[in-house]
Amino acid sequence: MTAGTKGQLVVAPAAAVRCALLSDENYKYLQQEIYRQSGIVLDEDKHYLIESRLMPLARNAKLANLDELCARLRSKRWPELSQEVMEALTTNETLFFRDMAPFEALRMRVLPELMGQRPPTQTLRIWSAAASSGQEAYSVAMLVHEMKLESRPVEILGTDISENILERARQAKYVQFEVNRGLPAIYLVKYFERVGLDWRLKDGIRKMVTFRRFDLRQPVTPLGRFDIILCRNVLIYFDVETKVNILNQLWTALQPGGFLLLGGAETVLSVQDRFERIAVGTTAVYRKR
């Protein structure tokens, strides 16, 4: 799923023409499949997105068009193709320290409050849900290091529905364009090393984060309990019922007094009575009651 966007469908321009390589029936089929596999709602006007993302898969499979691709998907004889389609349609975009205000909230309010409340030997657990290629989780790790919190145990978990994107996150290697987006120059010098034309996080930060595949619609019990959960810019891609179910799961995964951070356009909806909204600077965080 991708703190962030994580799990975001890339939106085509409003004037994009309808895909001529896909029937209405098969478009509806793809809508149902992507919803079944990921919970993401694919709107009616994403034909250009479908064509641009899936035609390379069709060509690799030596298929003439997307209707032939759908015929193969319907046959259920190529399960790996179904996974490739889901991965292509939920390609993630994210950046380091995205929307800086939530990280300021972590630095100014959330982390100091939790450090004061938790015993010094208690592990502080942080979850970056829909972690995409890792920038959000690694941003938290750098922040923790800057605040000199390593004197206490800190665990950072990043999860996403896409195994391909998680493998990129584990490698912690980024192109110049990616490190130019949101990452302070001083952090690039301090925490990264040059690898050819790319940049890789140094081991000290990289080893602070672990990644695993996880669907936010699944029960959270296997992940354990967390002090902080970042689930930013993800809920906007689900229908209301799925959003409420996910928020209930996130509430369950939080320790008493733990904090949930959402995207700027997201709220705790009908479960707001289970959270206390706290304004911090230009953003807000939600504390479990």
Side-chain angles (χ1 to χ4, degrees), residues 215-241:
D215 186 333
L216 286 171
R217 298 170 298 165
Q218 294 175 309
V220 296
T221 306
L223 299 182
R225 305 285 290 279
F226 296 90
D227 300 282
I228 301 170
I229 299 176
L230 298 94
C231 186
R232 303 192 303 135
N233 308 304
V234 180
L235 296 177
I236 53 176
Y237 298 101
F238 297 110
D239 59 26
V240 173
E241 180 182 359

Side-chain angles (χ1 to χ4, degrees), residues 54-102:
L54 297 190
M55 273 309 297
L57 294 182
R59 293 190 190 100
N60 288 342
K62 302 190 184 316
L63 302 173
N65 53 48
L66 297 185
D67 282 333
E68 289 189 12
L69 182 71
C70 287
R72 183 165 289 191
L73 288 172
R74 289 174 186 270
S75 75
K76 308 296 184 185
R77 293 169 55 193
W78 288 271
E80 69 283 356
L81 181 61
S82 178
Q83 180 65 23
E84 288 175 359
V85 167
M86 191 276 292
E87 299 258 0
L89 292 179
T90 56
T91 296
N92 301 265
E93 181 194 2
T94 186
L95 62 153
F96 290 101
F97 294 98
R98 184 182 183 192
D99 307 326
M100 190 63 183

Side-chain angles (χ1 to χ4, degrees), residues 123-219:
T123 299
L124 189 70
R125 300 195 71 223
I126 304 172
W127 176 18
S128 171
S132 186
S133 46
Q135 284 94 320
E136 179 178 83
Y138 289 131
S139 294
V140 173
M142 286 184 273
L143 178 63
V144 166
H145 188 273
E146 287 292 309
M147 294 180 68
K148 305 187 185 310
L149 304 183
E150 301 96 317
S151 57
R152 83 155 55 222
V154 177
E155 293 180 4
I156 302 172
L157 173 68
T159 67
D160 201 276
I161 196 173
S162 167
E163 186 58 45
N164 286 346
I165 204 70
L166 287 173
E167 187 54 38
R168 278 206 62 214
R170 293 184 187 104
Q171 292 172 4
K173 188 166 70 171
Y174 301 96
V175 300
Q176 187 70 49
F177 173 72
E178 291 172 312
V179 298
N180 284 345
R181 301 179 69 205
L183 183 70
I186 191 171
Y187 284 12
L188 179 62
V189 174
K190 188 173 182 178
Y191 295 117
F192 287 77
E193 57 190 1
R194 201 70 191 247
V195 180
L197 297 177
D198 302 330
W199 296 88
R200 177 183 291 159
L201 270 161
K202 295 179 180 178
D203 286 349
I205 297 297
R206 187 152 51 94
K207 290 179 179 179
M208 292 176 65
V209 185
T210 59
F211 294 95
R212 64 179 288 184
R213 186 182 184 279
F214 184 76
D215 186 333
L216 286 171
R217 298 170 298 165
Q218 294 175 309

